[in-house]
DNA sequence: CTGCATGCAAAGGGTTTGCACCGGC
DNA sequence: GCCGGTGCAAACCCTTTGCATGCAG
């Protein structure tokens, strides 16, 4: 556990926003100005593979990282791209949703909701859209 | 509807495999040797935005394209990366799964299952793993 | 001393874009 | 001729990687 890895983990835990690697990099750089983006990627990867954090590979957008290692689901705002945790009604095994699995052995499911966040629902200046958010 | 766009659409419809853009490119190139990858991307994008086909932005992998414009769900093999359509038990609105939406207005959900495909379940030479497939 | 993690920069893969050209109208 | 769509290549973004250096144990 180097000082870089420590700061990266702290920064991630201090943030609720599921930051991207370069967001983590920008924040950690305030305290460790000589840290490199490569180091951030390497440490995020290492932390994820040891189960301390979670990689979020979401549909069609840049990868994000989650301080919480346990799997859970997310909502993404289709206007501004904001990403938040979401709470589902039940925690049924994905198998229970499947009628015909085409012979696959189902291990897991990735469920991402799309919607409009509270801020974007309010009237106001239009948020610049990004095709990735659809 | 240029000849290029026609061939791209035909090739996609002839394929069940949800090909990537470069796979479409390789296949169409057999009949139109001078077609460029840029043209393939532009036409896939155009076809998708006019609703003739569907872009699949899946979690953590290269984008794929689906000849079927209607939304449906998929299974991805975590070993070989194969992607197939899947049939769910019901067609409940995603809202019904959500207990706390954090103020979001839920519009849609992207649901992707992960599993092992029939081929990869059989004993045999191990399929080279790709970290993207997890 | 040894070795692993770092900083740096370059490479890599997938996708988008600028631009000149072409071909149909 | 006009104009949109093309081919080509370069640019782009995110991510990974090779390498020499440096710090920790």
């Amino acid at each position: 556990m180097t000082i870089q890895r420590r700061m990266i983990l702290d920064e991630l835990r201090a943030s609720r926003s599921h930051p991207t690697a370069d967001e983590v990099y920008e924040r950690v750089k305030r305290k460790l100005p000589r840290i490199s983006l490569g180091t951030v990627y390497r440490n995020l990867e290492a932390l994820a593979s040891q189960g301390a954090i979670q990689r979020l590979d979401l549909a069609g957008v840049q990868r994000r990282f989650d301080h919480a290692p346990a799997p859970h689901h997310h909502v993404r705002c289709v206007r501004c791209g904001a990403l938040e945790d979401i709470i589902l009604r039940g925690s049924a095994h994905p198998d229970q949703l499947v009628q015909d699995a085409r012979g696959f052995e189902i291990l897991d499911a990735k469920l991402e909701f799309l919607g409009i966040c509270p801020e974007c629902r309010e009237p106001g200046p239009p948020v610049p859209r990004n095709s990735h958010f659809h």
Side-chain angles (χ1 to χ4, degrees), chain A residues 65-106:
Chain A
F65 293 86
D66 194 321
H67 66 98
H72 54 277
H73 298 293
H74 299 90
V75 222
R76 187 169 77 220
C77 179
V78 297
R79 291 197 69 197
C80 71
L83 186 70
E84 294 221 19
D85 293 343
I86 201 171
I87 297 172
L88 300 191
R89 279 195 201 288
S91 53
H93 188 274
D95 265 353
Q96 297 179 17
L97 290 169
V98 177
Q99 180 177 115
D100 179 355
R102 310 268 179 194
F104 278 65
E105 175 188 351
I106 302 294

Side-chain angles (χ1 to χ4, degrees), chain A residues 4-131:
Chain A
Q4 288 88 345
R5 183 171 303 181
R6 175 87 254 155
M7 301 296 287
I8 287 167
L9 185 54
D10 287 350
E11 197 55 54
L12 200 54
R13 286 191 172 147
S15 162
R16 304 280 95 178
S17 68
H18 307 92
T20 59
D22 54 287
E23 284 165 358
V24 173
Y25 169 62
E26 288 301 331
R27 292 179 206 172
V28 171
K29 202 164 55 168
R30 292 179 203 147
K31 295 183 182 152
L32 298 177
R34 293 187 46 77
I35 198 174
S36 75
L37 183 57
T39 294
V40 171
Y41 271 104
R42 277 185 292 235
N43 278 308
L44 287 171
E45 185 59 38
L47 287 165
S49 70
Q50 75 188 43
I53 65 170
Q54 184 178 181
R55 270 171 56 152
L56 301 181
D57 287 321
L58 300 173
V61 290
Q62 188 176 0
R63 177 177 331 172
R64 289 171 177 273
F65 293 86
D66 194 321
H67 66 98
H72 54 277
H73 298 293
H74 299 90
V75 222
R76 187 169 77 220
C77 179
V78 297
R79 291 197 69 197
C80 71
L83 186 70
E84 294 221 19
D85 293 343
I86 201 171
I87 297 172
L88 300 191
R89 279 195 201 288
S91 53
H93 188 274
D95 265 353
Q96 297 179 17
L97 290 169
V98 177
Q99 180 177 115
D100 179 355
R102 310 268 179 194
F104 278 65
E105 175 188 351
I106 302 294
L107 301 176
D108 196 8
K110 298 209 175 196
L111 183 53
E112 183 192 9
F113 292 89
L114 305 175
I116 306 280
C117 73
E119 290 72 29
C120 286
R121 293 174 77 170
E122 292 170 3
V127 177
R129 281 164 183 271
N130 177 323
S131 64

